[in-house]
């Protein structure tokens, strides 16, 4: 197997917690070769990839110029730095012949979206939009909808191994979501994070807070909640279009506001939300509710519930299980992924494979992710950050936060 040469741009929290570990493992498998890292500061200390060369980027310096000595290696450049730089740096690199993987959010406004979309149309095999739920947390949903190759649960173990409590051969369930629970009636997608590791922003940069830099939890977590639903459009009807015809309600956590006051100088009208409830319908009228947030529950709850006319699918994206109840209780199946690889290992590996034309998904995941990003930007247009926003205490339940929404929901409907 030929090694894929990788350059990582951005060595902050995500690099330290996840990316360096995964890339180090891919190096041991002779799949990847990290040849450099880039940041505006020194690389943060991590136990992985300690000998890799680090480049310090000057203010205003184009990445294509900084990396010009590496073009001979035909590298893939992984953009995991500040949100507002994702689009301009991706376009600069792609125009200069580099292949690029972009961490979310891919764009922070509609102008960036237009520019990135234009570049993607001209360079369909050069830019990959990374979205962990499609190729990791929601992989069982892709399996049940027939949108991922059955072989992913084979001997290689890139996605873990599939088990079922009721069928000797769990591959029987591939593509059978409608057969199992019937036509869809209602969907709820939750990405709620309240654990000490994932549920706070104390250790993160202002780009996850300041809406002018792409901050707020709709940008940060909304893609995780919405992108997997696009895999189901043959079943649910078209999920997104060029508009957002729905409602969105947002709130901020008091402890989050206190943290910002102590660490950042961000005007209140630019402080992003930590919680959002979003409601809309698909093109064929199937109602969808999306909940995203941090500083909630005191635990993580990432799941998608699909109610059909004769059954329910509850897909737990944290435990990697799919519970299927048919005929409302008479038959139950539990699909479980076991022997799991490290977090985001399949996502990052498949992103590299996608650039090589070898994705395990049976649809264009980057095109879907870009559509989901546009939908997120349309949702954000319905929010007035300069108006008073409900405030809640950390570890609150969604039902308690909802009680604070005494004012009418923001809406794009006339």
């Amino acid at each position: 197997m030929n090694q894929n040469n990788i350059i990582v741009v951005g060595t902050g929290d995500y690099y330290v917690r996840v990316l360096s570990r995964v890339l180090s493992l891919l190096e041991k498998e002779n799949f990847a070769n990290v040849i450099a890292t880039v940041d505006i500061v020194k690389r943060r200390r991590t136990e992985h990839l300690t000998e890799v060369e680090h480049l310090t980027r000057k203010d205003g310096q184009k990445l294509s110029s900084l990396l010009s000595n590496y073009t001979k290696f035909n590298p893939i450049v992984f953009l995991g730095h500040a949100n507002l730089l994702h689009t301009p740096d991706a376009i600069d690199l792609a125009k200069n012949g580099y292949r690029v993987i972009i961490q979310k959010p891919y764009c922070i406004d509609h102008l960036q979206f237009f520019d990135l979309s234009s570049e993607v149309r001209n360079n369909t095999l050069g830019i990959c939009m990374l979205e962990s739920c499609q190729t990791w947390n929601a992989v069982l949903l892709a399996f049940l909808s027939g949108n991922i190759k059955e072989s992913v649960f084979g001997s290689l173990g890139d996605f873990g191994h599939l088990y079922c409590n009721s069928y000797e051969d769990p591959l029987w369930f591939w593509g059978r979501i409608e057969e199992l629970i019937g036509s869809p009636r209602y969907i709820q997608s939750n990405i709620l994070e309240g654990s000490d590791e994932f549920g706070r922003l104390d250790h993160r940069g202002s780009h996850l807070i300041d809406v002018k830099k792409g901050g707020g939890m709709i940008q940060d977590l909304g893609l995780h909640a919405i992108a997997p639903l696009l895999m189901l459009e043959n079943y649910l009807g078209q999920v997104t279009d060029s508009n957002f015809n729905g409602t969105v309600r947002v709130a901020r956590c008091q402890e989050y506001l206190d943290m910002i006051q102590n660490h950042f100088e961000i005007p209140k009208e630019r402080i992003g939300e930590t919680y959002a409830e979003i409601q809309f319908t698909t093109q064929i009228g199937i109602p969808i509710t999306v909940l995203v947030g941090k500083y909630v529950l005191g635990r993580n709850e990432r799941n998608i519930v699909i109610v059909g006319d004769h059954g329910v699918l509850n897909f737990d994206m944290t435990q990697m299980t799919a519970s299927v109840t048919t005929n409302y209780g008479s038959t139950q199946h539990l699909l479980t992924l076991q022997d799991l690889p490290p977090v985001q290992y399949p996502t990052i590996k498949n992103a590299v494979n996608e650039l090589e034309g070898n994705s395990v998904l049976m649809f264009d995941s980057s095109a879907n992710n870009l559509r989901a990003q546009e939908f997120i930007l349309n949702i954000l247009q319905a929010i007035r950050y300069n108006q008073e926003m409900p405030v809640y205490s950390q570890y609150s339940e969604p039902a308690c936060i909802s009680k604070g929404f005494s004012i009418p929901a923001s809406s794009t409907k006339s």
Side-chain angles (χ1 to χ4, degrees):
M1 178 187 297
N2 294 326
Q3 286 185 323
N4 298 283
N5 294 315
I6 307 288
I7 297 174
V8 178
V9 179
T11 58
D13 182 71
Y14 175 70
Y15 175 83
V16 172
R17 288 191 301 109
V18 177
L19 189 57
S20 62
R21 179 188 182 194
V22 171
L23 290 176
S24 178
L25 179 58
L26 292 175
E27 281 198 335
K28 292 177 182 177
E29 297 175 0
N30 205 36
F31 179 83
N33 176 38
V34 182
I35 57 177
T37 59
V38 178
D39 212 319
I40 58 175
V41 295
K42 291 183 178 180
R43 184 169 63 215
R44 287 175 58 182
R45 183 176 298 178
T46 173
E47 61 182 295
H48 306 292
L49 307 175
T50 57
E51 303 301 319
V52 173
E53 182 179 6
H54 182 71
L55 306 177
T56 302
R57 183 185 189 183
K58 298 177 182 178
D59 186 38
Q61 186 175 20
K62 287 187 175 295
L63 283 177
S64 59
S65 173
L66 178 64
L67 303 179
S68 59
N69 291 336
Y70 294 89
T71 55
K72 60 187 176 183
F73 299 108
N74 188 27
I76 295 172
V77 183
F78 190 108
L79 299 180
H81 56 345
N83 295 344
L84 75 167
L85 298 177
H86 289 177
T87 288
D89 282 343
I91 292 173
D92 165 50
L93 290 167
K95 287 186 179 299
N96 285 278
Y98 294 89
R99 295 171 295 164
V100 184
I101 295 173
I102 312 178
Q103 173 66 295
K104 62 157 180 72
Y106 322 119
C107 320
I108 66 167
D109 55 37
H110 282 87
L111 180 60
Q112 284 196 353
F113 176 81
F114 176 81
D115 292 341
L116 184 59
S117 298
S118 297
E119 185 60 35
V120 168
R121 284 194 295 270
N122 295 328
N123 190 1
T124 55
L125 296 179
I127 301 178
C128 173
M129 318 293 170
L130 196 75
E131 168 43 49
S132 60
C133 280
Q134 286 198 107
T135 46
W136 175 234
N137 300 86
V139 68
L140 278 179
L141 197 60
F143 174 77
L144 287 166
S145 61
N147 282 303
I148 194 169
K149 296 175 182 177
E150 296 176 73
S151 59
V152 298
F153 302 125
S155 58
L156 291 178
D158 283 355
F159 290 82
H161 293 96
L162 184 62
Y163 296 85
C164 179
N165 69 334
S166 57
Y167 271 72
E168 184 175 344
D169 182 10
L171 296 182
W172 178 88
F173 289 86
W174 183 86
R176 293 183 183 265
I177 184 171
E178 186 163 12
E179 181 178 335
L180 289 164
I181 66 171
S183 299
R185 291 290 176 262
Y186 171 75
I187 298 91
Q188 181 159 330
S189 182
N190 301 327
I191 303 290
L192 301 170
E193 297 182 340
S195 69
D196 290 339
E197 181 179 5
F198 296 103
R200 303 182 64 85
L201 296 170
D202 305 56
H203 57 298
R204 309 297 288 273
S206 62
H207 63 284
L208 287 176
I209 299 168
D210 190 337
V211 295
K212 293 295 184 183
K213 299 179 180 180
M217 289 305 100
I218 294 177
Q219 276 277 42
D220 187 56
L221 302 177
L223 278 164
H224 291 332
I226 290 172
L229 303 181
L230 271 64
M231 296 187 295
L232 302 173
E233 287 190 315
N234 287 338
Y235 176 59
L236 302 177
Q238 184 174 326
V239 172
T240 73
D241 57 21
S242 58
N243 298 298
F244 169 63
N245 293 310
T247 60
V248 54
R249 303 171 188 263
V250 291
R252 300 184 182 113
C253 176
Q254 183 61 60
E255 286 77 5
Y256 162 80
L257 293 173
D258 294 341
M259 179 272 293
I260 294 170
Q261 185 176 14
N262 292 330
H263 292 89
F264 301 102
E265 294 183 2
I266 302 174
K268 192 168 185 179
E269 67 272 13
R270 284 170 44 188
I271 296 175
E273 71 289 337
T274 53
Y275 177 84
E277 296 179 358
I278 304 162
Q279 295 180 319
F280 57 97
T281 60
T282 70
Q283 191 178 43
I284 62 173
I286 308 302
I288 294 177
T289 296
V290 170
L291 305 182
V292 296
K294 287 185 185 287
Y295 297 89
V296 293
L297 298 173
R299 65 182 188 279
N300 299 328
E301 184 176 302
R302 310 180 185 103
N303 68 312
I304 296 174
V305 177
I306 303 174
V307 178
D309 58 14
H310 59 256
V312 178
L313 166 64
N314 189 339
F315 176 54
D316 188 322
M317 291 187 279
T318 298
Q319 300 299 322
M320 306 296 284
T321 61
S323 173
V324 182
T325 304
T326 63
N327 297 320
Y328 295 102
S330 63
T331 305
Q332 293 184 326
H333 309 284
L334 182 65
L335 295 168
T336 306
L337 279 179
Q338 300 180 7
D339 307 317
L340 298 175
V343 172
Q344 291 207 15
Y345 169 93
T347 297
I348 294 165
K349 187 171 184 178
N350 191 69
V352 175
N353 281 330
E354 183 178 331
L355 290 172
E356 300 287 342
N358 297 319
S359 173
V360 298
L361 296 172
M362 300 173 69
F363 59 92
D364 188 335
S365 62
S366 285
N368 269 13
N369 292 335
L370 200 56
R371 286 178 57 214
Q373 177 68 83
E374 181 183 27
F375 194 59
I376 292 293
L377 295 174
N378 292 335
I379 292 170
L380 293 174
Q381 285 189 323
I383 301 172
R384 302 292 177 260
Y385 287 97
N386 59 352
Q387 297 179 359
E388 283 300 313
M389 190 179 295
V391 176
Y392 63 94
S393 297
Q394 65 178 339
Y395 310 138
S396 293
E397 298 279 338
C400 292
I401 301 174
S402 295
K403 293 178 181 178
F405 296 134
S406 57
I407 58 175
S410 302
S411 175
T412 58
K413 292 182 178 179
S414 56

